Amino acid sequence: MFHYISGVAAELLPGAAVIDCGGVGFHINTSSYTLSQLKTGEKAKLYTYVYIREDAFDIYGFASQSEKRCFELLLGVSGVGPKAAAAILSVNTPESLAMSILSEDEKAITAAPGVGKKIAQRVILELKDKMAKSTESISFGTAAFQAPLQPGNSKLDDATAALVVLGYSTAEISAALRAVNAEELTLEQTIKAALKQMIK
């Protein structure tokens, strides 16, 4: 329905921002992470997800497409609704969430208000399984990476798995990682560098 909403941040509220677009104020639910990047009276652009149910018509928005992709993936996990997904992204950046799933760090996910151990375990189980299936189809041009990738075998494998969590396609990931010198970077730096390649 809406890909993004761009305007002026008229108000910043707990868990939401009001974006003024030509005199119309859109109430957009969001994460604390996105709120921290907005300033009242300044321009703002939020990538949006519209959540529609019989008793609800809510707009969720995020400062980056990566965060929006994470939100959508979290909604695909059984038992995770939009409020829980936004809460998880309030205490985890897209990169740190991906790394938490890779390392099976439940505490990083349960740090979100209202998110218990069972939900954290489902997030890790379901998204890590998705990562494993997606990374099998990616290979790199160098001899060292001709074999099918399995999460955890190398820095590139882990970066690939993390980027799958962020919702990128195998073709996008493969092209982006080929342009990154992973040997000189940490895993988190590799992920961030690949993200920069994909949003150019």
Side-chain angles (χ1 to χ4, degrees), residues 84-166:
I88 291 170
L89 291 170
S90 288
V91 296
N92 292 277
T93 64
E95 296 87 356
S96 67
L97 175 61
M99 293 181 72
S100 296
I101 292 166
L102 279 173
S103 61
E104 299 184 5
D105 184 0
E106 292 177 13
K107 290 183 179 179
I109 298 171
T110 56
V115 176
K117 187 173 181 178
K118 287 185 179 179
I119 289 180
Q121 288 172 339
R122 281 201 294 269
V123 167
I124 290 169
L125 179 66
E126 294 184 26
L127 293 186
K128 194 165 187 180
D129 182 59
K130 181 184 176 86
M131 287 158 43
K133 289 176 181 177
S134 297
T135 55
E136 287 173 1
S137 63
I138 301 179
S139 62
F140 294 88
T142 60
F145 298 106
Q146 288 296 335
L149 299 180
Q150 297 294 329
N153 289 351
S154 74
K155 192 188 300 179
L156 279 181
D157 295 352
D158 286 345
T160 298
L163 291 163
V164 167
V165 169
L166 301 184

